[in-house]
Amino acid sequence: MSEMPILQVKNLHTSFFTDAGEVRAVNGISYNLDRGKVLGIVGESGSGKSVSAYSVMQILTDTGRVTEGEILFNGDNILKYDDKQMAAFRGSKISIIFQDPMTSLNPVFTIGNQLREAIRIHTDRNKEEIQARALEMLQLVGVNEPEKRLKQYPHELSGGMRQRVMIAMALACEPDILIADEPTTALDVTIQAQILELMQDLQKKMGMAIIMITHDLGVIADMCDEIIVMYAGKVCERGTADEIFYNPRHEYTKGLIRSIPRLSEKHEKLVPIAGTPVDLLNLPKGCAFASRCDRAMKICLREHPEEIRVNENHIAACWANVLQMYEEEQGGTNA
Amino acid sequence: MADFDPNVNPQKRPFSLQLDLAQFEPATEEEKAQQETMRESTTFFKDGMRKLRRNPLAMGSIVVLLLLLVTIIVAPMIVPYGYSDMVTVNGKRDKSAKNLAPFQYSKMEQQAIDTGENIFPHIFGTDELCRDYFIRVVYGARVSLSVGFFASLIVLIIGLLYGSIAGYAGGRTDLIMMRIVDIIYSLPDTLMVILLSVVLDQILGQRLQGTILASIGTNMLSMFTVFGLLYWVGMARLVRGQILTIKNNEYVLAARAMGAKPRRIIRKHILPNCMSVIIISTALQIPSAIFTESFLSFIGLGVQAPMPSLGSLANAARAALQAYPYKMVFPAVGICLIVLSFNLLGDGLRDAFDPKLRK
Amino acid sequence: MTESDAKKRKMIVLMLLALVLAVMGWIFLPIKSEKILCTVVLALSCGAVFFSNDTGRYVCKRILLALLTILIIAAITFFAMNAIPGGPFSKEKAPSAAVQAVLEERFHLNEPIGTQFRLYLEGLMQGNFGVSTKTGREIATTIFSSFAISAKLGGYAALCAVILGLILGSIAALNRGKLADRIIIFFTTLFVAVPSFIMATLLLLVFCLQLNWFPIFSTDNPSYVLPVIALMLSPMSYITRLTKTSMLDVLGQDYIRTARAKGVKQWKVIFKHALKNALIPVITYVGPMTAYILTGSMVVESVFTTGGLGTKFVQGISNRDYPMIMGTTIFLATLMVTMTLISDLVYKAVDPRIDFN
């Protein structure tokens, strides 16, 4: 055990209390994030990946609430912060960029107004310094003609430009952690690559840790130190990027990997995952993925699998692993 | 590589103990299917009706409106007085039955009751012309409701036709038709209603005498005319907007590709899809027409006397407000109840059926 | 991009000022044709200066459209009134043929109707609305003297309606589903359903005649409180509901989440980031609200007998005083069209997303 992780999430449960009932979006996930590392969270829509990030930022909507668990930032439980502490914490220690840059910037204020506000909140710089910092940030994220951009309104910028502005805004106060909530999903493919490259570049320069949320395993393959695969608010599998890619131990992960298009293997068909995501209003008793799983066993429908350490760098929650280990062990004793 | 905290994460555990291998047999498709919690599939209409039924305000409004409807249909059959006739006792006009309080009897009536006759009570009293006030309020509600209903009907028909033609035709036709709408839209409607009421009152006044239309009164006719001339533009805009969005949907393109005629496409594909929005807007048009009528009554351009409307009754009651405040209260409560019910019903319908509000 | 938006908006503000000046001149300057022409030309020349860009073109287009609308209203009013059988003098005690001829000569009634309309318009331009058939007084004098009272009443009502509506609407949105929200929505729903003359009558009956809290309105001792309340409750309720809906909509937007994620404090998120966006639909209501308040004031003023323009109009209607009805209709319509124009322009100025093509 070296240094303390900058962020520890322990057994986090988040629910939305709607008219139809309690929607259990996150059901007990735990992870650690080390200083300066990149953690990828992968899952399909509704798997709770964004909600887990919003829980960390405490920016859930009115109906959402963390019902259980702890979120430790440098050992401090931020769930115990009051409103004022939380406001000071957001943006300065942890920042976030969102999926859709088209709607994430306020349409009735200029870029400069919004960028300067982000800087002003967390520093006591004077007007000129703030303006200089805003310009510097825009240059850093590669926005051309930054002086002019500061005076423009969001609708006058392209999607890629707006996402760059969002990144500039998020990083303006040099946070320790940057959460990127599907930062490239709403962008063109060519722009996607640019934005990812920019983020990697900035990470090297500024040294913050990144939580990269995406539904696209391919996007984060070579960026992440560690990957968490989520399904129905639970962790399916987590481990180093190599482990997840080359040694997946959960049927859902395998399905995700099979559904990534690859250029190298020309004639291989893409295999979609059959079925639809579960209803978070009534979670099934057993493994949430069982009904879509080709290798589902009777036990999968009855009991939820615990997280099992597969090896040093890899944990998975799948009954198939239990069976496999049992068979290996049996084989070992028989031999 | 990040350390895995041993306190949080389970360690690798030995499996030397027996596992119930029966549990590890592949599950069948049926077993898997049970897992999928089936949500009941509902149609748009069913889902909307369910939401409407669960809205107590909207359901309360429906009940109130139904009760009112029953009252104004049934009451004239039971109450033995007419809205324009003086109260009579044994065929004699009862001049003492002036401004009676609710459930009060006049001297003549009292004498008749003493001789053992049965006289129907004046539930709301009588007015200054010795007419039963209850029946006048009932007829007033009848008039107000029908004014609201017919005005909305006119608006609906004209707006629907105009809007669907403009929206469906598109291009230059649409442009010209909508310019006309824009111009009419910019006219201040209440002022135009007043102006036309004044003018039509003079023009139609003599010509109508003796015809059936005369009983409706020139003011009401001019109000309908104005609704027909001016108020439909809002509906036309709404319908056109709806049609433009629906027109480019795949299923309409498909129908056209298969050679369906425009009429059929409008009737079968487009109208059903914008029906909910149109119905909601019509429901909200009714109180607005009732409001306009009561406003016109106030400035002396309402229904033709002795025909009562709720607005004209309330207006007439202002003259003796301090002496007989209840004469104000009955029609005023009537108007407010009707308008409130339609507003709440309209809101309820919108919450239940407006596709824009659905998630 | 030829111009930055800040500059665009400055121009709109300038244009608005010019417009307001023109309208003020139209209404309040001593009525002389030169001055009116002067203000109209001022407004249009202001537009012409900026005609080279989108904003100027848009503003000019809107002003011209507004002028066209006023012209159409004047035409409708004039021809509708002329369609009434019998001239303005045939209804009274029939004067002798000679007197009739002199009168017709004086009021150009012997001219063809087109010429009459042209003459009437010319009169309007010079602030000459004709002469009342009932009182024999200049209609323009009656309108302008009584409008002062109506303007004061309507101005207070509009101001109260907007301010209270915004506050109550925001409170309702921020306390959605809680007691405060329910109370506000209950009362606003109720107020929308009460016609203004009933509201005015009830207020008069309860607070003036029964409780004696407020004096009866008189020119020496004008008490605006009750008329303003009667006039403002309905638009206030409407604005409250509008603000609540648009506030809830805005609070669910992504950019509000962004602001919170930046660490902006809760109250500032609401008052800076949300309110400006939520205001946009409210601005579009200013035009209809003016119309509502002007027509509503006819009723409210009659109930409280304030002697304002509303009272005079209603009197004109019951007297069948056609020139008076005509003049007032055109005057009020001009006011409504102007307010709609201003609210549209302000709307475009506040929302930078609108382009001017």
Side-chain angles (χ1 to χ4, degrees):
Chain A
M1 283 302 217
S2 51
E3 203 183 348
M4 179 191 248
I6 183 121
L7 183 74
Q8 290 169 281
V9 173
K10 294 183 180 176
N11 192 28
L12 179 73
H13 286 72
T14 304
S15 291
F16 291 91
F17 296 89
T18 66
D19 296 338
E22 183 183 351
V23 178
R24 301 164 67 107
V26 176
N27 300 295
I29 66 163
S30 307
Y31 59 82
N32 297 334
L33 175 66
D34 284 339
R35 218 170 263 283
K37 295 286 183 195
V38 181
L39 169 72
I41 301 183
V42 186
E44 60 193 26
S45 326
S47 61
K49 51 194 193 312
S50 296
V51 175
S52 68
Y54 295 172
S55 304
V56 172
M57 293 288 285
Q58 291 288 296
I59 50 170
L60 297 162
T61 50
D62 292 349
T63 51
R65 216 171 55 229
V66 174
T67 52
E68 208 184 317
E70 285 181 331
I71 298 168
L72 305 178
F73 178 82
N74 268 340
D76 263 3
N77 189 355
I78 64 157
L79 293 176
K80 297 222 162 69
Y81 281 4
D82 60 22
D83 286 353
K84 213 174 145 191
Q85 284 172 306
M86 203 58 224
F89 173 73
R90 289 185 206 117
S92 66
K93 300 285 191 279
I94 301 190
S95 285
I96 187 164
I97 52 180
F98 296 106
Q99 175 174 359
D100 192 351
M102 299 296 173
T103 56
S104 297
L105 289 166
N106 196 326
V108 299
F109 294 105
T110 58
I111 301 291
N113 189 325
Q114 299 184 55
L115 190 50
R116 283 192 298 270
E117 181 180 43
I119 302 166
R120 196 183 314 119
I121 293 168
H122 300 293
T123 60
D124 41 13
R125 290 181 232 219
N126 65 30
K127 254 185 149 176
E128 287 78 35
E129 285 167 340
I130 289 174
Q131 177 73 9
R133 176 70 179 161
L135 273 177
E136 184 193 336
M137 284 314 296
L138 282 191
Q139 272 155 357
L140 195 65
V141 296
V143 170
N144 58 347
E145 301 181 83
E147 280 99 350
K148 194 179 130 192
R149 300 292 178 206
L150 283 179
K151 293 196 190 90
Q152 286 184 326
Y153 286 91
H155 73 278
E156 296 172 79
L157 269 61
S158 68
M161 275 300 155
R162 279 190 238 183
Q163 197 60 298
R164 282 171 196 266
V165 171
M166 281 297 291
I167 295 174
M169 221 156 78
L171 297 182
C173 296
E174 300 185 342
D176 297 317
I177 304 172
L178 173 68
I179 300 175
D181 183 10
E182 308 210 23
T184 59
T185 310
L187 303 173
D188 287 348
V189 182
T190 46
I191 310 290
Q192 277 186 12
Q194 287 174 15
I195 294 287
L196 286 176
E197 203 174 305
L198 171 71
M199 288 180 63
Q200 274 177 300
D201 191 39
L202 288 171
Q203 199 223 356
K204 265 182 219 133
K205 277 186 199 152
M206 304 176 78
M208 71 279 181
I210 295 180
I211 298 178
M212 188 81 177
I213 298 168
T214 179
H215 63 257
D216 187 351
L217 255 181
V219 164
I220 55 168
D222 54 343
M223 212 182 146
C224 296
D225 299 301
E226 191 186 339
I227 290 175
I228 295 178
V229 181
M230 280 184 73
Y231 187 82
K234 286 197 168 79
V235 173
C236 294
E237 184 166 21
R238 63 204 175 100
T240 57
D242 284 350
E243 277 287 326
I244 297 291
F245 268 94
Y246 300 113
N247 185 23
R249 298 296 287 269
H250 193 286
E251 284 304 310
Y252 178 61
T253 318
K254 290 178 192 167
L256 279 182
I257 292 171
R258 273 198 300 271
S259 60
I260 303 173
R262 270 167 237 237
L263 288 175
S264 52
E265 295 147 51
K266 270 181 201 162
H267 299 292
E268 197 177 315
K269 259 193 184 168
L270 281 183
V271 186
I273 303 177
T276 51
V278 287
D279 182 358
L280 293 173
L281 273 171
N282 335 285
L283 281 175
K285 204 163 46 166
C287 173
F289 187 63
S291 61
R292 298 168 70 184
C293 180
D294 291 336
R295 291 179 54 192
M297 299 175 289
K298 289 192 168 28
I299 192 165
C300 298
L301 301 171
R302 289 203 186 89
E303 266 177 78
H304 191 271
E306 280 182 75
E307 293 182 4
I308 310 276
R309 182 171 288 275
V310 179
N311 65 40
E312 205 73 344
N313 300 325
H314 198 155
I315 285 175
C318 181
W319 284 114
N321 291 321
V322 177
L323 183 64
Q324 192 185 341
M325 283 177 182
Y326 174 79
E327 277 164 357
E328 275 166 16
E329 219 172 61
Q330 291 293 315
T333 47
N334 287 351
Chain B
M1 176 62 213
D3 292 296
F4 287 146
D5 184 347
N7 298 324
V8 181
N9 306 307
Q11 288 280 56
K12 178 175 176 177
R13 292 186 303 185
F15 287 99
S16 46
L17 295 168
Q18 294 293 317
L19 275 183
D20 182 6
L21 279 176
Q23 290 285 337
F24 283 80
E25 278 171 17
T28 60
E29 285 303 316
E30 292 83 67
E31 281 173 311
K32 275 158 66 172
Q34 279 177 355
Q35 185 94 351
E36 298 247 2
T37 42
M38 290 301 287
R39 240 195 270 187
E40 202 189 332
S41 75
T42 52
T43 61
F44 178 77
F45 181 73
K46 264 192 204 160
D47 189 39
M49 284 310 285
R50 190 180 55 84
K51 273 191 199 157
L52 191 63
R53 268 200 296 277
R54 276 171 47 181
N55 183 341
L57 286 176
M59 290 316 283
S61 310
I62 292 178
V63 171
V64 168
L65 287 175
L66 283 178
L67 281 178
L68 269 174
L69 210 61
V70 169
T71 314
I72 61 175
I73 290 171
V74 173
M77 300 177 191
I78 297 174
V79 181
Y81 305 111
Y83 69 87
S84 59
D85 307 324
M86 259 175 109
V87 172
T88 54
V89 178
N90 297 327
K92 271 184 241 157
R93 299 174 105 197
D94 180 5
K95 292 232 169 87
S96 61
K98 199 171 167 185
N99 288 328
L100 293 177
F103 289 105
Q104 199 190 353
Y105 291 107
S106 71
K107 279 181 204 151
M108 270 174 78
E109 284 172 333
Q110 203 60 53
Q111 286 164 4
I113 291 170
D114 290 342
T115 60
E117 252 181 87
N118 238 341
I119 287 192
F120 199 85
H122 304 294
I123 300 172
F124 290 172
T126 57
D127 68 359
E128 71 283 354
L129 293 175
C130 312
R131 295 176 292 200
D132 184 75
Y133 203 54
F134 176 69
I135 203 71
R136 282 186 68 73
V137 172
V138 164
Y139 269 93
R142 257 190 181 189
V143 169
S144 292
L145 272 176
S146 9
V147 164
F149 182 74
F150 282 111
S152 308
L153 199 67
I154 292 171
V155 166
L156 177 67
I157 292 170
I158 300 179
L160 199 60
L161 278 178
Y162 196 95
S164 44
I165 292 170
Y168 192 81
R172 188 175 286 267
T173 322
D174 179 40
L175 195 76
I176 293 169
M177 286 177 90
M178 288 332 273
R179 277 294 158 275
I180 296 171
V181 166
D182 284 346
I183 291 171
I184 296 177
Y185 200 80
S186 62
L187 301 177
D189 38 24
T190 319
L191 284 178
M192 291 296 127
V193 174
I194 296 172
L195 189 76
L196 284 183
S197 299
V198 170
V199 174
L200 290 180
D201 185 33
Q202 296 298 317
I203 297 176
L204 296 177
Q206 283 108 31
R207 294 189 198 167
L208 283 182
Q209 294 216 328
T211 61
I212 315 160
L213 288 175
S215 63
I216 307 173
T218 49
N219 287 326
M220 284 306 96
L221 277 182
S222 52
M223 201 181 116
F224 289 143
T225 315
V226 172
F227 267 80
L229 284 176
L230 297 181
Y231 277 65
W232 56 269
V233 289
M235 180 64 78
R237 278 187 166 185
L238 187 82
V239 172
R240 172 183 171 265
Q242 284 288 313
I243 285 183
L244 282 188
T245 25
I246 296 168
K247 198 169 94 171
N248 298 321
N249 269 339
E250 277 78 2
Y251 57 84
V252 174
L253 292 178
R256 194 178 306 165
M258 285 187 283
K261 293 207 171 62
R263 264 176 61 104
R264 187 186 155 78
I265 292 179
I266 289 182
R267 212 160 36 89
K268 282 272 178 194
H269 294 278
I270 294 180
L271 285 187
N273 279 294
C274 48
M275 224 49 208
S276 56
V277 181
I278 292 166
I279 289 172
I280 295 160
S281 174
T282 309
L284 290 172
Q285 188 80 57
I286 294 175
S288 137
I290 292 176
F291 249 63
T292 310
E293 190 278 324
S294 77
F295 173 77
L296 287 178
S297 291
F298 177 86
I299 54 175
L301 295 170
V303 288
Q304 208 88 342
M307 175 87 86
S309 80
L310 290 178
S312 64
L313 288 174
N315 189 34
R318 288 197 310 124
L321 188 59
Q322 272 188 294
Y324 310 108
Y326 60 87
K327 282 195 195 164
M328 177 80 189
V329 170
F330 295 128
V333 167
I335 294 181
C336 298
L337 213 56
I338 293 174
V339 173
L340 194 62
S341 302
F342 273 111
N343 280 345
L344 290 175
L345 179 61
D347 286 351
L349 284 174
R350 182 167 49 211
D351 291 345
F353 287 105
D354 194 337
K356 262 186 276 172
L357 291 174
R358 302 170 74 87
K359 297 245 167 75
Chain C
M1 294 305 298
T2 48
E3 312 257 5
S4 78
D5 263 54
K7 208 172 172 192
K8 260 189 193 172
R9 266 205 301 292
K10 248 178 222 160
M11 276 180 199
I12 296 192
V13 171
L14 261 177
M15 281 304 309
L16 280 179
L17 271 176
L19 193 79
V20 170
L21 272 178
V23 173
M24 298 286 260
W26 223 90
I27 295 169
F28 294 111
L29 280 180
I31 314 302
K32 274 188 189 149
S33 55
E34 302 94 296
K35 293 210 169 170
I36 292 156
L37 278 176
C38 169
T39 45
V40 172
V41 169
L42 176 76
L44 281 179
S45 59
C46 256
V49 170
F50 304 119
F51 216 78
S52 52
N53 66 50
D54 292 343
T55 317
R57 209 167 297 146
Y58 176 79
V59 172
C60 266
K61 205 174 95 184
R62 287 307 312 262
I63 293 177
L64 288 175
L65 270 176
L67 287 176
L68 183 72
T69 310
I70 294 170
L71 189 71
I72 291 174
I73 293 168
I76 291 177
T77 315
F78 183 83
F79 290 109
M81 284 297 171
N82 264 279
I84 296 174
F89 305 108
S90 54
K91 285 197 79 176
E92 308 293 316
K93 283 166 272 171
S96 69
V99 173
Q100 181 116 11
V102 171
L103 282 172
E104 282 190 355
E105 176 69 36
R106 190 175 151 208
F107 292 105
H108 309 289
L109 293 180
N110 48 355
E111 307 266 2
I113 190 146
T115 322
Q116 282 189 44
F117 181 54
R118 195 175 52 78
L119 287 169
Y120 185 71
L121 276 186
E122 266 179 32
L124 283 184
M125 291 286 289
Q126 294 165 22
N128 179 8
F129 285 75
V131 175
S132 162
T133 53
K134 200 75 188 174
T135 60
R137 284 163 63 186
E138 282 274 334
I139 288 167
T141 325
T142 316
I143 289 180
F144 291 119
S145 62
S146 58
F147 181 64
I149 298 171
S150 299
K152 202 169 168 190
L153 180 61
Y156 281 145
L159 208 65
C160 291
V162 169
I163 292 173
L164 287 176
L166 284 177
I167 293 174
L168 291 176
S170 306
I171 292 175
L174 295 174
N175 296 292
R176 177 162 56 154
K178 293 190 194 142
L179 187 66
D181 176 31
R182 280 160 201 266
I183 292 174
I184 290 172
I185 292 309
F186 174 79
F187 279 106
T188 50
T189 313
L190 198 66
F191 290 150
V192 168
V194 183
S196 46
F197 76 91
I198 289 181
M199 182 60 84
T201 316
L202 285 179
L203 286 175
L204 182 75
L205 178 69
V206 175
F207 295 106
C208 216
L209 303 177
Q210 302 282 339
L211 296 173
N212 275 322
W213 287 3
F214 298 97
I216 291 168
F217 196 100
S218 65
T219 17
D220 313 323
N221 180 21
S223 161
Y224 282 100
V225 180
L226 288 182
V228 166
I229 292 177
L231 201 50
M232 104 185 169
L233 279 178
S234 178
M236 181 202 80
S237 304
Y238 193 84
I239 292 176
T240 303
R241 292 161 59 105
L242 201 62
T243 311
K244 185 194 167 189
T245 318
S246 87
M247 196 69 163
L248 282 179
D249 179 44
V250 168
L251 286 177
Q253 295 288 327
D254 288 352
Y255 52 78
I256 295 301
R257 199 175 52 191
T258 309
R260 287 173 67 198
K262 276 199 293 195
V264 181
K265 289 188 188 68
Q266 185 65 22
W267 63 268
K268 212 178 169 194
V269 170
I270 292 159
F271 286 101
K272 184 185 167 190
H273 291 264
L275 195 61
K276 195 172 175 193
N277 283 285
L279 263 179
I280 291 171
V282 177
I283 292 168
T284 56
Y285 177 61
V286 168
M289 182 178 72
T290 314
Y292 177 87
I293 285 184
L294 286 178
T295 46
S297 76
M298 293 176 202
V299 165
V300 172
E301 284 185 23
S302 299
V303 172
F304 288 96
T305 54
T306 57
L309 186 55
T311 324
K312 301 276 191 248
F313 190 37
V314 175
Q315 278 169 9
I317 290 168
S318 49
N319 290 338
R320 297 289 187 265
D321 185 349
Y322 299 127
M324 179 68 196
I325 298 175
M326 251 162 98
T328 320
T329 306
I330 292 171
F331 178 79
L332 290 177
T334 309
L335 217 59
M336 289 176 193
V337 170
T338 313
M339 287 310 288
T340 312
L341 174 67
I342 290 178
S343 90
D344 273 12
L345 292 181
V346 171
Y347 169 73
K348 307 269 154 153
V350 169
D351 192 344
R353 281 164 297 186
I354 309 289
D355 72 11
F356 289 92
N357 295 315

